[in-house]
């Protein structure tokens, strides 16, 4: 009931993202049901049915990944002060996020079932003159338990993934021990306090705050403005580095592993390209089954290397005596490398795979046209990855809202913030664009020779 109330009272943009999740779940559920229909119509070809079921795992993974990104940006389930007092602690908010995701995916699964039954002719008669009889099996009775099991994959996997990722965590560093001060007060400091410090607590606090303010002014920071004063207008060269996003403590550690997995995937594709071809669903022909494994390894390697490459973009932007604009753009990229780097890597993997499949289809004269199910799968994977990247960008924008507000209070022009965003996009495109083309050419080379 609480999940329904939060869903009903959300912002229209949040409803749009949830509707997109339902649409993706409907497309994936329809592909799974079509796989079931093909298995019923071609009972003598279990290998082809298993191949089509394995082919559906890519749209399933893209849909779950998109649902997770939408759940992370949902403002209704974001922890806020005071919610724990009314019973909405981190565990309860995690359960609400999982329930909301399950509801969105269940809506899409029901739409997929109704559309599948309509195409089979179970509701109003078979449309399109029986054009989909090869994968709908209209003459066979539909096994309802199998259909419900396939339709339940997306809601169950998506909700479990959201619950696992958004579970409450202990943010304290490992190895720290809790200590208890005098009179049972909890704390992490183990330094002994003298008896007079209790009497000087308030005076020490005020004196410490005045000393900290004086230290900030002496270090180059600006004193807090009074209510009657207006903030000064600052140029981009007048901005203090303390207003920029803080540098991450350490760079993402997945870059070496990503490069290794990417090289392994390309090697598997090159080795599998020498063997006999295996037909894929929808009229594509793509190498041995090892080629599919190589594509999956390539996508995993790009996803692992994405945060490290984004962090490298930010570091390169700040090299060679940067100004305020390049410093701001580079700091933001380094701070958001983990948040937007992995979706960038996934988009790079999908783009390279699509380019390789298109090149393979154009250079192979004996390959028939791509079928409707393959087109639907490609649209699902591409749309989910692009929507995930856009959702991660929105999440990153909300995460740096305090920094943006601080820059605007200091008088930074809005054109500077837009220029920094354009510079970040250009730097990312300059690195990931050629990388996508290189990986796509290397992936398609063994299949076209």
């Amino acid at each position: 009931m609480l999940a329904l109330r939060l869903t009903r009272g959300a912002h229209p943009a949040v409803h749009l993202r949830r509707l997109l999740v339902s649409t993706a779940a409907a497309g994936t559920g329809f592909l799974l049901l079509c796989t079931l229909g093909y298995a019923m119509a071609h009972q003598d070809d279990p290998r082809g049915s298993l191949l089509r079921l394995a082919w559906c795992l890519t749209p399933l993974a893209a849909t779950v990944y998109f649902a997770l990104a939408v759940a992370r940006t949902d403002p209704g389930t974001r922890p806020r002060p005071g919610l724990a007092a009314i019973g909405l602690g981190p565990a309860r908010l995690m359960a609400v996020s999982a329930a909301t995701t399950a509801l969105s995916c269940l809506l899409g699964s029901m739409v997929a079932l109704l559309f599948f039954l309509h195409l089979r002719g179970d509701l109003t008669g078979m449309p399109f003159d029986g054009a989909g009889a090869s994968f709908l099996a209209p003459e066979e009775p539909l096994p309802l338990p199998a259909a419900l099991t396939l339709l339940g994959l997306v809601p169950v996997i998506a909700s479990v993934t959201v619950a696992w990722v958004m579970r409450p965590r202990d943010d304290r560093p490992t190895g720290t021990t809790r200590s208890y001060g005098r009179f049972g007060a909890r704390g992490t400091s183990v330094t002994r306090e003298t008896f007079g410090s209790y009497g000087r607590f308030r005076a020490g606090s005020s004196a410490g705050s005045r000393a900290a303010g004086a230290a900030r002014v002496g270090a180059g920071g600006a004193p807090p403005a009074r209510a009657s004063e207006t903030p000064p207008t600052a140029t981009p060269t007048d901005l203090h580095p303390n207003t920029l996003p803080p540098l991450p403590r350490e760079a993402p550690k997945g870059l070496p592993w990503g490069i290794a997995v990417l090289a392994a995937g390309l090697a598997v594709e090159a080795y599998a390209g020498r063997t006999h071809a295996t037909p894929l669903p929808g009229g594509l022909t793509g190498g041995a089954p090892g080629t599919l494994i190589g594509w999956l390894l390539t996508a995993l390697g790009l996803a692992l290397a994405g945060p490290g490459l984004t962090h490298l973009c930010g570091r390169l932007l700040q090299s060679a005596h940067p100004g305020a604009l390049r410093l701001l753009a580079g700091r933001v990229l380094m701070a958001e490398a983990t948040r937007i780097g992995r979706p960038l890597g996934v988009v790079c993997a999908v783009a390279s795979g699509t380019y390789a499949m298109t090149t393979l289809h154009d250079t192979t004269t004996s390959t028939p046209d791509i079928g409707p199910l393959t087109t639907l799968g490609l649209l699902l994977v591409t749309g989910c990855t692009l929507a995930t990247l856009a959702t991660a960008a929105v999440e990153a924008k909300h995460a740096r809202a305090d920094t943006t507000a601080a820059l605007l209070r200091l008088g930074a022009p809005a054109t500077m913030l837009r220029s920094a965003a354009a510079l970040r996009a250009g730097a990312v495109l300059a690195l990931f664009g050629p990388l996508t083309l290189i990986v796509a050419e290397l992936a398609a080379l063994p299949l076209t020779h």
Side-chain angles (χ1 to χ4, degrees):
M1 185 62 67
L2 180 60
L4 290 175
R5 291 182 179 179
L6 292 177
T7 302
R8 184 184 58 183
H11 194 269
V14 179
H15 285 302
L16 178 61
R17 292 196 291 266
R18 291 170 179 168
L19 183 61
L20 290 177
V21 172
S22 300
T23 304
T28 305
F30 180 75
L31 288 178
L32 291 172
L33 290 178
C34 290
T35 302
L36 177 62
Y38 181 87
M40 291 188 301
H42 302 80
Q43 299 182 8
D44 55 344
D45 187 19
R47 185 172 180 271
S49 302
L50 290 177
L51 182 62
R52 280 163 172 79
L53 184 61
W55 180 78
C56 291
L57 294 180
T58 303
L60 176 62
T63 302
V64 172
Y65 192 44
F66 178 47
L68 175 61
V70 171
R72 292 182 59 178
T73 56
D74 193 349
T77 57
R78 187 175 303 162
R80 291 183 296 273
L83 291 182
I86 59 175
L88 291 178
R92 185 74 180 275
L93 290 178
M94 176 268 295
V96 171
S97 298
T100 304
T101 304
L103 288 176
S104 301
C105 294
L106 278 175
L107 177 62
S109 298
M110 294 303 298
V111 172
L113 179 60
L114 292 177
F115 188 67
F116 182 76
L117 293 177
H118 172 68
L119 292 182
R120 277 175 50 91
D122 295 339
L123 299 180
T124 58
M126 193 168 186
F128 306 115
D129 297 330
S134 59
F135 56 87
L136 295 177
E139 68 280 355
E140 298 288 340
L142 181 65
L144 190 59
L148 295 180
T149 301
L150 290 177
L151 288 177
L153 289 179
V154 179
V156 171
I157 296 177
S159 58
V160 170
T161 304
V162 169
W164 173 258
V165 173
M166 302 185 66
R167 69 189 186 278
R169 295 183 178 90
D170 191 0
D171 296 331
R172 293 177 304 161
T174 58
T176 58
T177 58
R178 291 182 179 178
S179 61
Y180 294 87
R182 300 185 180 182
F183 306 107
R186 292 176 57 182
T188 57
S189 176
V190 294
T191 58
R192 296 182 59 84
E193 299 175 351
T194 61
F195 179 78
S197 61
Y198 292 97
R200 297 189 301 268
F201 174 73
R202 295 184 59 87
S205 299
S206 59
S209 61
R210 288 194 298 268
R216 286 194 297 269
V217 174
R226 297 178 181 176
S228 59
E229 297 178 356
T230 58
T233 302
T235 60
T237 57
D238 295 333
L239 295 178
H240 196 271
N242 291 336
T243 61
L244 299 176
L247 286 174
R249 296 180 179 177
E250 57 183 8
K253 299 180 180 179
L255 183 57
W257 290 101
I259 295 176
V261 175
L262 175 61
L266 293 176
V268 171
E269 292 180 24
Y271 177 77
R274 302 177 181 178
T275 58
H276 62 280
T278 299
L280 295 178
L284 292 177
T285 303
T291 304
L292 302 178
I293 299 176
W295 281 356
L296 292 177
L297 288 177
T298 302
L300 179 60
L302 288 173
L304 290 175
L309 294 176
T310 307
H311 190 273
L312 179 62
C313 282
R315 187 172 292 277
L316 291 177
L317 278 178
Q318 300 178 77
S319 60
H321 304 287
L325 183 61
R326 285 199 294 139
L327 191 62
L328 176 61
R331 283 283 186 92
V332 170
L333 275 181
M334 293 178 67
E336 299 172 355
T338 304
R339 183 177 287 109
I340 67 174
R342 189 161 287 111
L344 277 173
V346 174
V347 170
C348 180
V350 172
S352 62
T354 304
Y355 178 82
M357 292 174 65
T358 304
T359 304
L360 176 64
H361 186 269
D362 293 339
T363 56
T364 306
T365 56
S366 61
T367 302
D369 294 334
I370 298 178
L373 295 183
T374 304
T375 303
L376 177 60
L378 291 177
L379 290 177
L380 273 176
V381 174
T382 305
C384 286
T385 52
L386 292 177
T388 303
L389 179 59
T391 306
V394 171
E395 182 185 7
K397 181 180 179 181
H398 292 165
R400 65 173 183 270
D402 295 339
T403 301
T404 304
L407 290 173
L408 293 177
R409 284 196 303 268
L410 288 176
T415 55
M416 177 189 174
L417 301 179
R418 289 193 292 266
S419 300
L423 185 59
R424 293 196 303 271
V428 168
L429 184 62
L431 180 62
F432 281 90
L435 178 63
T436 302
L437 293 178
I438 292 174
V439 173
E441 290 291 344
L442 293 177
L445 186 61
L447 304 178
T448 55
H449 290 80

